[in-house]
Amino acid sequence: MPTIGAYTAFGLGAESTHGTAVARTNWLPARAWGLQRRLELVPRAHLGISNATAVMRRTVYPSQDYSNGPVSHDGSYDDSTALLMYYGFGAVVDAGVGPYTHTYTLAGPALLGFTAEGKKGHGANAKSEVFEGCLIARQTYRVQTGKILEISNEIIAETSAGEAAQGTPTYATAAEAIAYNHWGAFTFDSVARTLISLEWTIDRMISERLRLGSLNSPLPAPTGFTRVTGRMVVEHGDGGVWYSKHLAQTQGDGTITATGSGGSLAMTFQNMVLMKRDNEVSDPGVNQESYDFECFSDGTDLGCKAILTNTNALYSDNS
C-alpha cells in the first residue's frame, strides 16, 4: 500500500556538537516537508574504455552530496515555534515568572545546528528521515486574511543516513495558533494602518561550503550581510501619508502585535525603510497599495526584534 502525506511531522533537537545527531525532543505538525538529501551522480568524463563494445560511458561518480529544502508549519504562541525562531534570529533571552517572555534579536548564525526528523506521512511502509547539522538559511513569516500565520524555514543540513523507522511525535498540549484576527494595526514611524496581508523574511545569507576531502559541507558560512525584508498590503486611503514617507526615504521603526488568549507575538522592524510602493488600479473595488520594506542596523537596534509571550519558562520547551 502507498503511504499518504497525512500526519507528516517535524521533529528537532538542539545539537551539542554540530553535525552529531541527537534525539528529537520538540515536535510540530508540518504543513509541508521539502528537506531532502540530493546525491548528484554524473558520468565519468574520460574518453572511453579501450576495446569496449558499447559506444557510451560506463561508470558514474558522486559530484555532490548535499541536503537542503523548505519545511513549513503553523506559527503558535506556545509550542516549538519558539525554538525554531531562535535558529532564525540567532539570539534569545528568556525572562519573567509566568507569563514568560522570550526576546529574540538578530545575531550571527548559530555555531551549533539542530537535528531534524521528517516523519513523512502515514502507512505501513511510511518512514522518517533524520538530518544532522541543520541551520536555517531563510525564515519567512506570512499572514493574510482568513489564515493562520505560516512559517517557512529554508534549511541547510549536513547530511542524512537515508530513511528509517519513524519516531513518535510528542506535541505541545496547548499550541494556540497565531490567527489572522489576532493582529493589530501596523505602525510605521508613528502612523498606524490596518493591513490586509504581511510577510517578512530573515535571510541569513549562508550557504554550503564545498571543500576537498568530503562530499558534505561543514558548518555553512555567511556569503553576505543578513537581510530582513518584507511586504505588506493595505487599503489605499491614508491621504498619502505612507506614500510621502516612501518618497522622503523615511527611516523609522515598524511595529505590530498579535494577541491570543494565552500569548502574544510583538514584532519590531527596526530602522525600516519603505523601499517600493505599488498602487495599480485595475478594478472597481477597493483600491489597495503594497509596500516592500527592508530593515537596517544602527549598531544598537540590529534590524528586527520579536517578543514572544507564553506560559513556557524556556524558549526550548515543548509543552
Side-chain angles (χ1 to χ4, degrees), residues 236-247:
H236 182 264
D238 74 337
V241 177
W242 274 16
Y243 186 27
S244 297
K245 293 183 182 295
H246 165 61
L247 296 177

Side-chain angles (χ1 to χ4, degrees), residues 148-223:
I148 290 169
L149 173 67
E150 177 186 5
I151 302 177
S152 178
N153 306 280
E154 188 71 32
I155 295 173
I156 297 175
E158 187 173 285
T159 191
S160 88
E163 293 183 331
Q166 291 188 336
T168 302
T170 301
Y171 300 115
T173 55
E176 181 187 6
I178 304 174
Y180 79 98
N181 58 310
H182 293 184
W183 296 88
F186 190 103
T187 298
F188 171 59
D189 196 39
S190 302
V191 178
R193 299 184 67 181
T194 300
L195 302 184
I196 296 172
S197 66
L198 170 68
E199 72 172 68
W200 68 93
T201 297
I202 301 171
D203 190 343
R204 304 317 307 256
M205 300 294 287
I206 61 173
S207 67
E208 293 95 342
R209 299 156 53 206
L210 296 181
R211 303 186 299 178
L212 297 180
S214 176
L215 285 171
N216 303 126
S217 169
L219 183 72
T223 60

Side-chain angles (χ1 to χ4, degrees), residues 97-108:
V97 292
Y100 301 92
T101 62
H102 316 283
T103 301
Y104 299 84
T105 52
L106 292 176

Side-chain angles (χ1 to χ4, degrees), residues 1 7 32 38 76 87 96 262:
M1 291 293 292
Y7 312 117
R38 296 172 172 86
S76 297
Y87 286 104

